[in-house]
Amino acid sequence: GQSLEQPSEVTAVEGAIVQINCTYQTSGFYGLSWYQQHDGGAPTFLSYNALDGLEETGRFSSFLSRSDSYGYLLLQELQMKDSASYFCAVLIGGYNKLIFGAGTRLAVHP
Amino acid sequence: DTEVTQTPKHLVMGMTNKKSLKCEQHMGHRAMYWYKQKAKKPPELMFVYSYEKLSINESVPSRFSPECPNSSLLNLHLHALQPEDSALYLCASSQAGQGTNYGYTFGSGTRLTVV
């Protein structure tokens, strides 16, 4: 089976930096993805890491350590619109099987 | 076109009804997915289609029946559902191929209520 762990809630202020961690246990691991979902909206793809290291896309960065079965999403220069749920998700096996973690609810305050 | 379109957006059905959810994409993606999402929970994988063939069924009850008529369309046929099946049903698509993940594109979902 698979298991992913991430914090249930994170609170931060506008302009700050926040890191959301994700640890996973799974067989057939291919890579780690991050998705954002606003209340009432669809999940939106943020990033994907297949290899160890840091991937940067604008204000968002994602990191993966395969040896530690660990990754994180780093959000910089937080804005109110970043208040949403953030899911880490593992890609498993050879059949595009993407399994989501429970999600982290980020609240950004003024 | 970079969207996944799902219809209807809302659906209320009785436990004896038969209904279908529809999903369409024109991004040339050859992998398509159905997920179920309950409130304040993560999306839960139901089915994966790769090159129009069913490749994964996550032990979904037979009252849910997927269909992929062509590379752009994905349907989910519903029959004899239970109230606990009420949820947001999300369709997604992506490029296919082993280990590839250029990101899934999700539709806005169909909010299903079973009465």
Side-chain angles (χ1 to χ4, degrees), chain A residues 30 33 35 37 42-43 45 48 87 91 93-102, chain B residues 33 35 37 42-43 45 48 56 58 94-95 97-101 103-104 106-107:
Chain A
Y30 269 68
S33 288
Y35 285 79
Q37 187 176 30
F45 172 73
Y48 174 65
F87 296 95
L91 184 67
Y95 296 98
N96 292 77
K97 181 172 176 175
L98 189 68
I99 303 299
F100 285 76
Chain B
Y33 315 85
Y35 281 82
Q37 187 175 28
L45 182 65
V48 178
I56 295 177
E58 290 285 277
S94 76
Q95 295 189 30
Q98 289 198 13
T100 59
N101 184 358
Y104 286 24
F106 280 84

Side-chain angles (χ1 to χ4, degrees), chain A residues 21-90:
Chain A
N21 298 321
C22 175
T23 58
Y24 59 88
Q25 286 189 322
T26 184
S27 54
F29 176 85
Y30 269 68
L32 186 70
S33 288
W34 289 91
Y35 285 79
Q36 178 193 62
Q37 187 176 30
H38 287 98
D39 286 347
T44 302
F45 172 73
L46 294 177
S47 68
Y48 174 65
N49 295 68
L51 303 175
D52 287 357
L54 191 68
E55 296 278 345
E56 297 180 73
T57 309
R59 294 187 297 115
F60 295 177
S61 303
S62 58
F63 172 82
L64 175 66
S65 169
R66 295 177 70 108
S67 60
D68 295 322
S69 297
Y70 163 76
Y72 66 73
L73 179 69
L74 189 73
L75 298 87
Q76 302 181 73
E77 301 172 19
L78 282 173
Q79 302 175 9
M80 298 292 288
K81 67 178 181 179
D82 297 327
S83 294
S85 291
Y86 292 84
F87 296 95
C88 60
V90 291

Side-chain angles (χ1 to χ4, degrees), chain B residues 5-20:
Chain B
T5 302
Q6 289 188 245
T7 55
K9 293 198 182 306
H10 300 273
L11 178 63
V12 179
M13 61 184 291
M15 289 188 283
T16 58
N17 290 161
K18 285 185 181 181
K19 295 286 185 183
S20 296

